[in-house]
Amino acid sequence: MTDEKNCGFDTLCIHGGHKTESNRAHLTPIYASSTYTFESAEQGVAVFRNEEPGYIYGRFGNPTINEAEDKIALLEAFGLKDATGEPLKLKAILHSSGMATITTMLLSNLKVGDTIITHQSLYGGTQEMLDKILPSLGINSTILDFHNLSAVEEAIKADNTIKLMYLETPANPTLQCIDLEASAALGKKHNLIVCADNTFATPYLQQPFKYAVDYVMHSTTKFLNGHGTAVGGIVVGRDLEKMNGVVTKTHRLLGGNSNAFEAYLLTNGLRTFSLRMQRHCSNAEQVANFLEQHEAVARVNYLGLASHPDHATSKKQMKHAGAMLSFELKGGYDAGLKFINSLKVCTNAVSLGTCDTLVSHPASTTHVGVKPEDRVRFGITDGLIRMSVGLENIEDILNDLKQALQ
Ligand SMILES: *Cc1c(COP(=O)(O)O)cnc(C)c1O
């Protein structure tokens, strides 16, 4: 096994979390087994009492799932120390989707009467859960402006039902950034649970555990898997007692577990994660610079551009501006549809973080159900195009954009 304490990030992408197999298979096989045997009644007792490590039942996890969990925990903790100066130890639990992960995390930490504070433009599914599912369990949420933290503090002081701060940075579709260090510090000052959805940035670009964050969530469907082959989600936590206790219990009882095949695909994707991110980022930077100069484009939302209002915040907490951007066509709705229809290399699909460049027109697809005046308030104008820049040759991406913008 690899000496994980002394390895670099790229090495952890490849070797992190791997355990030598009993049959010495090079790669951890897909454990297609719903249950696990015990050598003796006594061993069964020890495993059930958590006195001895061992697998019990597929819903609780298996070696293929475990490898992906340990790898991602190592990447989120990379280079960080705990309060005593020792390398930070995190625990991660893989789920069937990002949404299942967020459900487990919220229901592990909240009860009837509690309030969540969050900010605008969360992932659509998350916002819908806060609006349509949690209120019937007596859990409400308030949207605040996290660019004004003194107002956030006033709101916290005025309402003692506030228990959890939910952050997602950067966020769709304008790549708004929240200052993780300042927000998390404020949350901890008032004893809130602080969690951050790190899907867009990934641990390659941003490590929320550098700051006073308790939980990090990912939709592993995106950059972590990287190939668009499986839906998944993961919650990573620093309070190991809670992670092994209430969070594990909630995960097992809600039943949003992952499975061996999709965990295998995730681990396989993660082996090239670091390399992929380098190329994603350099391609995106070139696409943003190209679009900013183009006469058909009114505005480009990319954190690497000095024109982005959160450019400075992103520079403080992210290694690079990342691979996500959006831009506004001067021609509005019709220009948006024409542009999408003209693409020959880039793929017309929602989601993000795959090897190929994905392009979507939110006003006619993901946000078609949102009232036009709300859309404008969220920055989703009729001519807005969202891009997840892929790994193709940059010349091919730029030539495709050039001909589609004509
Ligand atoms: C996709 C996504 C989710 C939801 O994840 P699923 O895997 O689709 O359930 C949550 N947060 C963000 C930021 C996402 O992009």
Side-chain angles (χ1 to χ4, degrees):
M1 223 181 88
T2 323
D3 178 11
E4 288 162 344
K5 276 201 290 296
N6 295 312
C7 283
F9 190 89
D10 302 2
T11 308
L12 288 179
C13 289
I14 297 163
H15 296 284
H18 182 72
K19 293 192 176 62
T20 304
E21 267 295 308
S22 52
N23 289 315
R24 307 205 61 81
H26 170 211
L27 304 179
T28 308
I30 298 165
Y31 273 79
S33 180
S34 60
T35 193
Y36 291 79
T37 60
F38 304 117
E39 273 166 26
S40 65
E42 289 75 14
Q43 198 219 356
V45 170
V47 171
F48 260 89
R49 284 188 178 157
N50 221 357
E51 293 163 3
E52 190 178 304
Y55 293 97
I56 297 174
Y57 184 58
R59 176 155 41 81
F60 302 177
N62 66 43
T64 325
I65 289 174
N66 224 221
E67 179 167 1
E69 290 172 333
D70 290 349
K71 199 188 280 294
I72 292 170
L74 286 165
L75 297 179
E76 283 292 353
F78 178 71
L80 306 184
K81 303 264 189 272
D82 66 16
T84 67
E86 288 297 306
L88 181 66
K89 272 211 177 69
L90 300 170
K91 181 179 165 76
I93 305 177
L94 192 66
H95 287 70
S96 56
S97 68
M99 290 312 299
T101 294
I102 294 166
T103 306
T104 293
M105 191 283 300
L106 291 175
L107 295 186
S108 302
N109 285 289
L110 296 170
K111 58 178 189 333
V112 59
D114 288 345
T115 300
I116 300 168
I117 51 169
T118 187
H119 52 85
Q120 219 163 53
S121 31
L122 294 182
Y123 175 72
T126 309
Q127 189 61 52
E128 264 197 85
M129 172 142 69
L130 299 187
D131 291 343
K132 298 182 181 160
I133 308 283
L134 295 184
S136 61
L137 304 176
I139 300 164
N140 289 302
S141 58
T142 310
I143 294 177
L144 300 170
D145 177 9
F146 273 72
H147 285 90
N148 180 357
L149 286 179
S150 54
V152 172
E153 179 156 36
E154 287 315 307
I156 296 171
K157 281 183 183 159
D159 181 354
N160 65 8
T161 70
I162 293 172
K163 292 286 147 60
L164 186 140
M165 179 185 279
Y166 190 99
L167 307 172
E168 182 186 317
T169 182
N172 241 341
T174 53
L175 286 306
Q176 149 183 240
C177 266
I178 301 298
D179 184 329
L180 280 171
E181 182 171 24
S183 304
L186 176 64
K188 288 330 276 181
K189 182 177 164 199
H190 294 280
N191 288 319
L192 305 186
I193 294 153
V194 181
C195 53
D197 183 330
N198 202 26
T199 301
F200 269 40
T202 80
Y204 178 82
L205 296 174
Q206 166 176 290
Q207 289 171 280
F209 287 111
K210 248 187 213 168
Y211 317 112
V213 167
D214 298 298
Y215 297 96
V216 166
M217 286 92 56
H218 285 279
S219 166
T220 60
T221 316
K222 317 291 167 59
F223 291 102
L224 294 178
N225 170 296
H227 298 73
T229 54
V231 171
I234 200 157
V235 55
V236 192
R238 76 161 87 225
D239 182 338
L240 300 183
E241 209 170 301
K242 237 172 144 179
M243 286 302 292
N244 288 316
V246 66
V247 183
T248 292
K249 180 68 82 191
T250 308
H251 163 253
R252 290 179 178 184
L253 295 180
L254 288 179
N257 54 286
S258 183
N259 61 79
F261 180 55
E262 293 188 304
Y264 174 88
L265 293 171
L266 173 57
T267 294
N268 200 43
L270 281 166
R271 293 195 177 94
T272 55
F273 171 55
S274 197
L275 267 179
R276 284 189 285 107
M277 289 309 289
Q278 287 169 38
R279 176 71 166 256
H280 274 301
C281 290
S282 75
N283 276 358
E285 195 173 309
Q286 294 177 75
V287 167
N289 289 334
F290 164 77
L291 289 170
E292 204 183 33
Q293 304 297 323
H294 201 286
E295 57 182 15
V297 176
R299 188 170 44 92
V300 182
N301 302 306
Y302 183 61
L303 286 168
L305 298 174
S307 58
H308 194 290
D310 294 331
H311 176 67
T313 308
S314 74
K315 264 192 121 153
K316 195 178 106 176
Q317 62 197 21
M318 291 169 71
K319 204 190 283 175
H320 185 277
M324 296 301 299
L325 60 88
S326 61
F327 59 97
E328 204 179 311
L329 292 170
K330 286 182 184 159
Y333 192 91
D334 292 342
L337 294 193
K338 181 175 168 281
F339 172 78
I340 296 277
N341 281 332
S342 308
L343 292 168
K344 296 192 167 89
V345 175
C346 303
T347 308
N348 171 16
V350 295
S351 196
L352 54 121
T354 58
C355 297
D356 48 339
T357 297
L358 300 184
V359 178
S360 65
H361 180 230
S364 66
T365 57
T366 46
H367 291 73
V368 74
V370 183
K371 281 191 248 119
E373 59 269 28
D374 283 346
R375 258 191 256 143
V376 171
R377 201 155 50 81
F378 299 152
I380 304 158
T381 47
D382 281 350
L384 192 79
I385 301 289
R386 189 184 85 162
M387 264 183 101
S388 164
V389 180
L391 311 178
E392 298 94 340
N393 286 101
I394 186 63
E395 297 77 15
D396 293 332
I397 302 175
L398 294 180
N399 285 334
D400 197 28
L401 296 176
K402 232 175 263 175
Q403 63 82 21
L405 285 168
Q406 253 171 24

